[in-house]
DNA sequence: AACATGATCAACT
DNA sequence: GTTGATCATGTTT
């Protein structure tokens, strides 16, 4: 059983690093969100890095805009965007000096608040609750109004459960047409909670 | 016109 | 079970 421990919260130093490293290191960490005094928690099993430079798939590639401004803010800021008009996706801002980089959270294993997640997500199977970036955001009831929130509050944070040695693989990112040569998707090998194929190279 | 997606359904193996 | 086509939906370029 997981003990939610705010004292193990990932801090600014964690996010204030190379985006690729942060994306890899986020695998196995626990995302916690408190809603109406209910705690939702899930273990992150799949992420993607979106780089500050030379990455045509990144929202920041065209420079700072109203939509992507969160990516240019402090490391440890939440970036929420609407995709295909209907879905929301969540990212954690990385890198120093406000460079325009973030990690997309693509999938997680539900741990606490599973009944609440089922209600928000309108699905029963635990395995499907946080499978895919928009499904994860839906299970956690993230909205566009939470864009630019801090990841350092007791309402919303990420922490390290234990220093386990997870087998992590890397592959091309999902659902993009540019930058497919970059292997910037990271996932927990053989997890039943990841959103797509289990093929990748060791990190 | 494209888009960092997901649901659904048909047609396989 | 799995894979591929199709579409809903609205914001951004």
């Amino acid at each position: 059983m997981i003990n939610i421990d705010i004292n193990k919260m990932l801090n600014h130093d964690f996010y204030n690093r190379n985006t690729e490293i942060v994306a890899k290191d986020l695998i196995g960490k626990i995302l916690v969100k408190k809603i109406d005094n209910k705690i939702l928690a899930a273990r992150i099993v799949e992420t993607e890095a979106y780089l500050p430079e030379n990455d045509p798939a990144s929202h920041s590639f065209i420079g700072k805009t109203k939509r992507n401004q969160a990516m240019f803010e402090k490391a440890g800021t939440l970036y929420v965007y609407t995709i295909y008009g209907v879905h929301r996706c969540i990212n954690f801002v990385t890198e120093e000096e406000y460079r325009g980089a973030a990690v997309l959270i693509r999938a997680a294993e539900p741990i606490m608040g599973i009944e609440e997640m089922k209600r928000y997500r309108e699905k029963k199977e635990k395995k499907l609750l946080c499978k895919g970036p928009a499904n994860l955001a839906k299970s956690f009831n993230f909205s566009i109004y939470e864009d630019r929130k801090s990841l350092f509050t007791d309402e919303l944070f990420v922490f390290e459960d234990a220093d386990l040695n997870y087998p992590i693989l890397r592959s091309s990112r999902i659902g993009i047409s540019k930058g497919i040569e970059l292997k910037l998707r990271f996932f927990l090998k053989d997890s039943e909670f990841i959103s797509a194929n289990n093929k990748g190279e060791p990190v």
Side-chain angles (χ1 to χ4, degrees):
Chain A
M1 194 56 196
I2 301 295
N3 186 27
I4 306 293
D5 189 351
I6 196 168
N7 296 311
K8 293 183 189 167
M9 177 192 292
L10 302 182
N11 60 21
H12 179 258
D13 289 340
F14 178 91
Y15 299 102
N16 187 25
R17 294 183 298 157
N18 176 280
T19 306
E20 198 171 328
I21 305 288
V22 176
K24 173 179 65 100
D25 285 354
L26 276 169
I27 303 298
K29 303 296 189 286
I30 315 285
L31 170 63
V32 179
K33 188 184 185 195
K34 202 190 285 183
I35 308 177
D36 298 334
N37 238 24
K38 297 278 188 183
I39 292 177
L40 308 186
R43 184 189 310 280
I44 295 166
V45 297
E46 182 179 348
T47 63
E48 282 176 1
Y50 287 88
L51 308 181
E53 280 140 21
N54 304 315
D55 182 4
S58 175
H59 285 179
S60 64
F61 190 65
I62 54 168
K64 189 165 157 182
T65 66
K66 186 166 185 169
R67 179 205 209 190
N68 69 18
Q69 62 180 313
M71 291 184 78
F72 292 85
E73 293 178 6
K74 191 174 86 170
T77 299
L78 183 71
Y79 170 40
V80 185
Y81 66 88
T82 301
I83 186 169
Y84 295 102
V86 259
H87 310 296
R88 254 65 52 192
C89 294
I90 67 162
N91 299 250
F92 302 158
V93 176
T94 57
E95 304 272 356
E96 57 186 5
E97 303 297 330
Y98 313 96
R99 295 178 62 199
V103 174
L104 172 69
I105 311 303
R106 287 196 57 90
E109 172 187 354
I111 291 181
M112 281 186 70
I114 291 173
E115 289 311 308
E116 283 72 25
M117 289 185 194
K118 287 177 181 173
R119 205 172 64 238
Y120 295 129
R121 171 77 166 84
E122 300 170 312
K123 276 270 189 242
K124 287 186 214 161
E125 301 108 301
K126 174 180 164 185
K127 200 168 43 169
L128 301 180
L129 292 176
C130 301
K131 185 190 286 283
N135 288 334
L136 185 153
K138 191 173 182 187
S139 284
F140 275 79
N141 200 32
F142 276 107
S143 85
I144 201 72
Y145 301 109
E146 291 169 278
D147 184 38
R148 304 174 66 197
K149 265 193 175 177
S150 167
L151 287 168
F152 308 131
T153 73
D154 63 353
E155 304 278 303
L156 180 64
F157 65 96
V158 184
F159 79 101
E160 179 159 16
D161 172 36
D163 193 13
L164 300 179
N165 192 17
Y166 292 101
I168 299 170
L169 299 182
R170 67 187 303 163
S171 72
S172 291
R173 292 171 292 183
I174 309 282
I176 57 168
S177 55
K178 299 172 204 158
I180 52 176
E181 71 281 2
L182 300 169
K183 301 276 200 284
L184 293 176
R185 169 181 176 240
F186 297 89
F187 57 97
L188 181 58
K189 184 178 188 292
D190 300 326
S191 170
E192 58 178 328
F193 298 99
I194 61 176
S195 70
N197 74 70
N198 192 40
K199 294 190 211 91
E201 307 163 4
V203 292

